[in-house]
Structure formats: structure tokens, C-alpha cells
Amino acid sequence: MIGALAVTAIAVTGCSSGGGEDSGSSPRAGDVLSSAPLANAAVLPSAARSELITYASQNGAGEPIVVSGTVAIPSGTAPDGGWPVLSWAHGTTGIADTCAPSGDTVDGAVHDYVGMVSATLDQWVENGYVVVQTDYEGMGTPGDHTYLNATSESNAVTDIVRAARHLDPSVGDRWFVGGHSQGGAAAISASDQAVDRAPELTLLGAIAVAPGSGLSQTPQYVASGSQAVAPVLSFLPITLLGAAAADPAVVPAEIVTPAAEPLMRAARTGCIADVRAAIGDIQVNSVIRPGADLGPWTDYLAEQEPSNADPKVPVLFAQGTADALVTPAASQVLVKQLCEKGAELDYRTYDGADHRAAVAASRSDAQEFTDALLAGDETRQTC
């Protein structure tokens, strides 16, 4: 498993979260722990240099962890101040190590999603942006993936920018965070948390494509047993196991029935497509134990809501009108919540785009958004 030696070292020595304090021999957040040329389907073709790295970060509880990810450096000569950076947070692929985007292969379990996103991200590299992509906590490195944990994911997308700057002197300090679905929520969280976490960097803006929201409604939604839940039943084990990885008060065995075990088993070892395949004849009204205490699970998810964020930088919020997973109605609620906090937010919709198609559909607007902020220009405001 990648980073096994590094994780041993960091567990012993600890990890500092700040940018400038002296931590002696201890790895600091953003330190590169290992690097090697990337040579699989995760390579962005326009990159002059592609690296698979592990780097030091912290989980939601502030404990040291090792995270893996990729760094793609453009061709040519960097502009004054270095290449601008897009730190991309991926959508839901699963929670098992095999679901880490950095390990993508053409016949791999997540290539249908990662390959689609990579085609869009490659255009960023072609246009002169360093693209860094975290795998998040516990995907490709030891430990469990704390799915949807706002602080852990924000730390991961921030610290990989620090790592890229340690790796290559052409990487500048001006950066953007972007993400889709799970990663869209992470981008919104980072729009708040990353500014204070990495004051040595200049976060200019955030791009949130179909960010997951209304997370705390999931337990009761599934427990209702409504057939309306069926299309998203595959997210049940991922959401539950991810919460349990971060909060020991969440005990899956006390929440789900034996009927849900095929889903839980598929989530532990496979990716989202494997969980979908495991649904079979499982009925929604058979997976939650009658009278199960959903409180700890609900409370945990409430703490991860992107609506908790108070964005400190402009946000581009992109939504497909045909999205059945993150619906326009749900996104409009989140937009309203963020606007009420005074966010500088540009909400854009894309006619006919479903959940995945919104990534490519919004790319041109996202490029205009980042280019404007790099030039010091104002962006369009919805709020």
C-alpha cells in the first residue's frame, strides 16, 4: 500500500498544521513524503511533469495522516510568480483504496468517472494551470476514508498545494480550489477553512460543481423506506462507513440490518459501481433496523454540511438542470444559505446537464472565473 513507510514515520513524529513554525524533524502539513513519476491513466496528457505523491496532512480531529495525490505541471516557462494552481477535489468514487483516482487504469473500477473528469482537468493544464488532485484521507493510504468530513477534505486539498510547491519551484502561491459532488462540498468548506490554514498561500476562489448538501437528512431519508430513496441507495453504505471512520459513536452494525450486508461488503472492498451492482433485489424498507438510534450519524453529517462554511473568497457554483443526484432544488437551498452569510457567489446552471455532465459544461465559465480573479477583476454575483 502506498505510503506505508511514510505513515509510520508521521505517526511517530506528529504533524504541524501551520506554515512557518519550527517543528524540528517532524513532518509539517504539506511536506512531501514520497514522489514518483505517474504512469497510469491518471496522467493528464498535456502535463510536462506528472507525479504521484504522498504528503503530510491532518484529519478532522487534527491528527497527523498521510494522503496520496497527483501533481500535473504544465509545459513551457512559468509566468512571474509561478504557475497558478487548481486543487481539484473528486466526486464520490467509493471509500476503498482501489477507488483512489491516483490509481486509475483504463480498465479500473473508477475509470468511467475519473477519465471523464481528467479530460476536463487536462484543459486546465493546457491553459497554464498546475492541477493537483488529492485522493483524500484513507484512499490509497493506510486508514479508513472519512467520507464527507469537511475539515479532513479541506485540509487535504490545501496541503497538496503546499506539497506541490515543495516538489517543483515553478508552482506559484496563487491557487483555486475546485471540486465535484463530494468534492464540490469540499471546495466550499475549503473556501472558508483554507485561508486560515495556509496563510502563506493566496486562495483566490472556489469552484463547486453540484456540491452535495442536505447531508444530515440522509439517515431519516433512508429510514423512511420510501421507494424514492432507491436511486441513491448505493450511497448508504459509503455515507455510513465514512461517518463511522471519523466518529466512533456511529456504529453501522447497530443501524443497518443483515439485508444491507451485501451493500456494506461491496463498499468496504469495491467502488461505487460495485455497490450499485450489489443492490440487486434489496428493498429500501429493509436496510435500516427498526428503532435504530440515528442520532450520532445524523449529528455527524450535520457537522459536515457545506452550509456551515462562511466563504472567504468568491465562489462559482455550477449546477446541471437535469441532475437527479444533487438536484437544482437542493442546490438553490444551499445557495440561499451561503448568500445569507454574505458570500460572493455566482450561481450558474447548465441546461440538460446531469450530475456528471456539469463538470465539462461548466469548464468554460470556471476558466473565465479564475482568469478574472487572477487579473484582479470582479466576478459576477448572484447574491
Side-chain angles (χ1 to χ4, degrees):
M1 183 181 293
I2 189 170
L5 293 178
V7 82
T8 300
I10 194 170
V12 171
T13 60
C15 172
S16 163
S17 63
E21 60 269 36
D22 182 9
S23 57
S25 61
S26 301
R28 296 187 301 174
D31 280 356
V32 178
L33 303 175
S34 69
S35 65
L38 186 66
N40 58 15
V43 170
L44 301 181
S46 296
R49 180 183 181 187
S50 298
E51 294 284 329
L52 171 64
I53 67 169
T54 59
Y55 60 97
S57 190
Q58 290 170 302
N59 65 16
E63 300 165 338
I65 57 173
V66 173
V67 183
S68 57
T70 60
V71 178
I73 309 290
S75 299
T77 302
D80 291 343
W83 300 111
V85 182
L86 173 65
S87 183
W88 182 257
H90 66 81
T92 301
T93 56
I95 59 174
D97 285 336
T98 190
C99 311
S102 68
D104 185 39
T105 60
V106 293
D107 57 353
V110 296
H111 186 65
D112 64 325
Y113 173 75
V114 174
M116 177 272 298
V117 174
S118 291
T120 296
L121 294 180
D122 188 60
Q123 296 177 61
W124 288 90
V125 177
E126 188 176 9
N127 288 336
Y129 286 73
V130 171
V131 173
V132 296
Q133 300 181 68
T134 182
D135 288 328
Y136 304 136
E137 174 186 359
M139 293 183 69
T141 49
D144 296 325
H145 175 44
T146 53
Y147 181 66
L148 297 176
N149 188 279
T151 297
S152 177
E153 292 177 356
S154 177
N155 290 349
V157 297
T158 304
D159 293 338
I160 195 171
V161 179
R162 291 167 150 170
R165 284 173 53 75
H166 290 313
L167 185 73
D168 193 306
S170 72
V171 180
D173 62 3
R174 296 185 299 171
W175 69 291
F176 301 88
V177 60
H180 171 237
S181 194
Q182 173 189 3
I188 292 175
S189 297
S191 75
D192 181 357
Q193 299 184 36
V195 172
D196 291 335
R197 180 170 181 82
E200 78 279 14
L201 303 177
T202 303
L203 178 63
L204 294 176
I207 302 160
V209 183
S213 62
L215 311 175
S216 59
Q217 301 172 29
T218 301
Q220 289 293 345
Y221 187 46
V222 177
S224 73
S226 169
Q227 277 303 114
V229 181
V232 294
L233 188 58
S234 55
F235 289 90
L236 164 65
I238 293 172
T239 304
L240 181 54
L241 291 169
D247 186 349
V250 180
V251 183
E254 297 177 358
I255 296 174
V256 296
T257 67
E261 183 52 33
L263 301 180
M264 305 298 283
R265 185 167 55 248
R268 291 186 183 100
T269 60
C271 300
I272 187 68
D274 300 293
V275 181
R276 291 193 183 107
I279 291 175
D281 297 326
I282 296 174
Q283 298 299 307
V284 177
N285 61 7
S286 70
V287 296
I288 301 294
R289 292 182 180 275
D293 181 7
L294 304 178
W297 185 20
T298 302
D299 291 345
Y300 170 79
L301 291 175
E303 293 172 358
Q304 316 316 321
E305 290 282 6
S307 60
N308 294 333
D310 187 1
K312 296 181 173 66
V313 294
V315 177
L316 175 66
F317 193 128
Q319 174 69 45
T321 62
D323 193 334
L325 290 178
V326 175
T327 65
S331 287
Q332 287 161 11
V333 170
L334 177 56
V335 167
K336 183 175 184 293
Q337 292 169 326
L338 295 174
C339 283
E340 287 173 347
K341 294 185 176 185
E344 297 180 46
L345 187 145
D346 180 0
Y347 179 60
R348 301 202 182 194
T349 59
Y350 301 89
D351 288 342
D354 64 14
H355 190 58
R356 291 187 175 186
V359 176
S362 61
R363 198 210 69 80
S364 178
D365 285 340
Q367 184 82 63
E368 290 181 5
F369 173 78
T370 60
D371 287 351
L373 290 171
L374 283 170
D377 296 334
E378 294 185 356
T379 57
R380 194 176 78 174
Q381 298 298 310
T382 298
C383 299

